[in-house]
Amino acid sequence: MNKRGDEHWGTISTLVLIFIAMIVIFFVYSDSFAEVKEGFVKIADTEAIKKAYSKTIGEESTLTEEEKKIIDEFNLFFRNNFAVIDDDCIKEINFNAIKEKGFGVRVRDGDIFAEKKGKARVYPLSVSSRLAFLNLDGGADGFFIDEEFENVNDRYELGDVVYVKDRKINFLDRATAAEFSGELSDVTQKKLCGTERGERLSIANIEFEDVKGINPEEARDIIAYLNDDFSYLGEDYQIHEMIKYLLDLGGLYKDGQLEKENERKHLFLINSMGKHVEEYFGEEYRGRFSINGCWNVIASIEGLSTVYGYGLAPDLLYRSAMITLSDGSAIRIIMLVKGECLPASKTTSLEYF
């Protein structure tokens, strides 16, 4: 090519480079991308955020000033309400400030996003604490809260209480929030964050009722069982606490005040305690009798009784006792060995007598 042609293409190349530079400068300094850049400064550059960024950036030019304000409101709300200041405690949360703003919240792989319905817009949020969801089915590190802040994963009703445990903030379904707030029983009530916790229930006194008396080994066995650990909703309780909790729930059930979701938890709890008593005593205790039976426990308080275990009549009385708890509750415990074992599905019920 001649010299004149070279000069022509050189001029065009220079103009192209200048144009590209202007685009880069606009990208770096434009207000329309300020929030994206700020989000990346505050939050680790993980694969999840890269995906969110790719979804957001294509529509960033259409982000309205109102939506920018909403994202700022979300960040401020999470910063003010979700800092870990205590442990093993609950905190009430009023979601009105971010309800029905057009964005829900998704938590995934430790990252938090404001998300429009159908993932039309995904925007990373700046949150200093780890977030999770906790209910009867266990803990989940990934979940979605709808734009109305009423439902979690389109299945559970969102509670207005969060549970702080092991420096993680757990959102709760409404039924679990009621348990942790003490609406169903004092047994599962958590302290409010920033306050002192009250003493847990303990056995203040135990009197064995057997006419023929009880030897020291058998007494130790029963007392050890009543104080054994039982895991429920992420915490270890003791069997005597859970027996009291069953009876508290039974009073609500009998009065027609136990809601459907709590009935499901109640069935789960009775079933789990039935498995536990079987595993706790096991073959060693069955071998003490002429029959190879299954264990049942009957607990009663103030005219209300409940039973858990896998057995069916005929039965052989093992021991009975009256226990007095530290809150003054007097509970009669009857332990039976049943002659025939049944699956949990055939023995678990919500009937109280």
Side-chain angles (χ1 to χ4, degrees):
M1 185 178 292
N2 60 33
K3 185 176 180 181
R4 185 179 181 85
D6 291 339
E7 289 176 355
H8 174 72
W9 284 108
T11 301
I12 292 175
S13 298
T14 300
L15 291 172
V16 169
L17 289 173
I18 291 172
F19 180 73
I20 292 173
M22 290 176 64
I23 292 176
V24 171
I25 290 170
F26 176 79
F27 179 85
V28 173
Y29 294 102
S30 171
D31 288 340
S32 62
F33 289 92
E35 288 180 80
V36 172
K37 289 183 295 181
E38 182 181 359
F40 276 84
V41 169
K42 291 181 178 178
I43 305 176
D45 186 15
T46 64
E47 287 300 318
I49 287 190
K50 288 178 182 177
K51 291 176 182 177
Y53 180 74
S54 66
K55 289 178 179 292
T56 304
I57 194 170
E59 301 180 71
E60 182 67 20
S61 60
T62 61
L63 190 66
T64 66
E65 290 300 319
E66 183 61 29
E67 286 175 323
K68 291 180 184 179
K69 290 179 182 178
I70 290 171
I71 298 301
D72 286 342
E73 289 172 6
F74 270 63
N75 276 317
L76 182 63
F77 181 85
F78 276 84
R79 186 160 57 247
N80 290 341
N81 289 280
F82 294 94
V84 174
I85 57 173
D86 200 348
D87 195 56
D88 196 16
C89 62
I90 58 171
K91 181 179 180 181
E92 293 184 9
I93 301 292
N94 187 334
F95 292 101
N96 286 341
I98 55 175
K99 274 185 178 181
E100 300 180 354
K101 298 284 187 177
F103 285 92
V105 169
R106 184 175 297 278
V107 177
R108 182 178 63 245
D109 300 327
D111 298 308
I112 301 94
F113 310 95
E115 183 176 299
K116 276 187 174 292
K117 193 172 183 179
K119 297 184 180 180
R121 186 79 54 81
V122 181
Y123 205 94
L125 296 174
S126 175
V127 182
S128 59
S129 303
R130 291 183 301 150
L131 304 182
F133 175 65
L134 177 67
N135 76 336
L136 183 63
D137 298 323
D141 291 327
F143 60 97
F144 175 71
I145 301 174
D146 65 9
E147 298 170 14
E148 288 75 30
F149 284 81
E150 292 179 350
N151 297 291
V152 181
N153 295 339
D154 295 323
R155 179 180 176 186
Y156 307 101
E157 289 186 64
L158 177 65
D160 57 358
V161 167
V162 295
Y163 175 46
V164 182
K165 179 72 170 179
D166 297 330
R167 303 200 63 79
K168 179 188 288 186
I169 294 176
N170 297 275
F171 287 80
L172 306 173
D173 68 314
R174 191 161 66 89
T176 305
E179 288 183 281
F180 284 6
S181 298
E183 295 177 23
L184 307 183
S185 170
D186 292 340
V187 174
T188 55
Q189 182 176 10
K190 307 294 183 183
K191 68 167 187 167
L192 293 175
C193 294
T195 66
E196 294 296 322
R197 180 171 187 162
E199 290 188 11
R200 292 272 290 268
L201 278 180
S202 60
I203 297 177
N205 187 49
I206 182 166
E207 296 179 6
F208 293 96
E209 300 178 318
D210 305 325
V211 176
K212 296 180 180 179
I214 182 169
N215 66 50
E217 182 183 3
E218 290 172 331
R220 285 194 300 270
D221 289 341
I222 294 176
I223 293 171
Y225 166 68
L226 292 173
N227 285 293
D228 193 49
D229 286 340
F230 181 88
S231 182
Y232 180 66
L233 286 174
E235 182 164 340
D236 284 339
Y237 296 89
Q238 292 178 315
I239 291 296
H240 65 263
E241 291 181 288
M242 299 316 294
I243 288 174
K244 175 61 163 58
Y245 183 51
L246 277 180
L247 292 168
D248 287 345
L249 292 179
L252 295 174
Y253 174 77
K254 205 165 184 180
D255 292 341
Q257 297 177 21
L258 197 66
E259 296 182 3
K260 187 174 182 180
E261 179 62 18
N262 286 109
E263 286 187 6
R264 185 174 78 92
K265 290 189 177 187
H266 197 179
L267 279 167
F268 169 86
L269 183 55
I270 291 178
N271 183 23
S272 299
M273 290 182 70
K275 288 180 182 177
H276 179 270
V277 71
E278 282 293 296
E279 293 169 358
Y280 185 87
F281 286 101
E283 295 297 331
E284 175 191 352
Y285 284 83
R286 291 180 187 177
R288 296 186 186 185
F289 306 97
S290 58
I291 55 173
N292 186 26
C294 290
W295 287 86
N296 275 54
V297 176
I298 300 175
S300 59
I301 185 173
E302 297 175 354
L304 182 72
S305 296
T306 186
V307 59
Y308 61 88
Y310 293 168
L312 186 67
D315 56 83
L316 177 64
L317 174 66
Y318 179 54
R319 291 300 174 192
S320 64
M322 179 66 73
I323 64 171
T324 303
L325 301 181
S326 54
D327 67 349
S329 300
I331 301 175
R332 188 165 186 250
I333 303 291
I334 301 174
M335 302 187 69
L336 303 169
V337 181
K338 296 285 189 174
E340 182 182 352
C341 298
L342 285 181
S345 60
K346 299 218 176 150
T347 57
T348 303
S349 74
L350 281 176
E351 292 183 7
Y352 282 79
F353 51 92

